[in-house]
Amino acid sequence: MVIDLRDIKRQGKDEIDFFFEHVLDNALIDIPNVVFTAPIKINGNLVLTGEHSALISGEIEFTLKGDCTRCLSEATNTYV
């Protein structure tokens, strides 16, 4: 996702909220037998702080599925 700061300024705003989802490649995980079960979700806020700068805050949520390291049964966990 690309956020154009100039476009925000043209709209007369100095702050925006944003949300997007993205499907990640399981090759990004280096834990054996673990996969992403859903797209990651990114929910955030952008505040213009200067001519060419912004402050971004937010949350990233993702869910992983794999084998429990203690009991070896399948486990699914969501992280925020």
Side-chain angles (χ1 to χ4, degrees):
M1 174 178 203
V2 175
I3 299 174
D4 187 344
L5 300 182
R6 294 171 299 187
D7 189 44
I8 297 169
K9 288 180 185 181
R10 273 186 239 125
Q11 295 176 24
K13 299 179 182 178
D14 60 0
E15 180 176 356
I16 63 164
D17 294 321
F18 61 89
F19 173 82
F20 69 96
E21 294 182 354
H22 184 72
V23 177
L24 292 175
D25 185 353
N26 286 320
L28 295 171
I29 303 174
D30 63 352
I31 305 169
N33 302 319
V34 174
V35 295
F36 290 105
T37 61
I40 64 167
K41 298 176 183 177
I42 300 170
N43 190 15
N45 176 268
L46 181 145
V47 178
L48 298 174
T49 58
E51 184 66 27
H52 301 286
S53 60
L55 175 66
I56 298 175
S57 59
E59 294 182 341
I60 299 173
E61 179 181 323
F62 61 96
T63 303
L64 298 176
K65 179 174 78 171
D67 298 330
C68 175
T69 58
R70 290 180 20 205
C71 68
L72 298 179
S73 64
E74 188 176 275
T76 302
N77 288 317
T78 299
Y79 302 91
V80 177

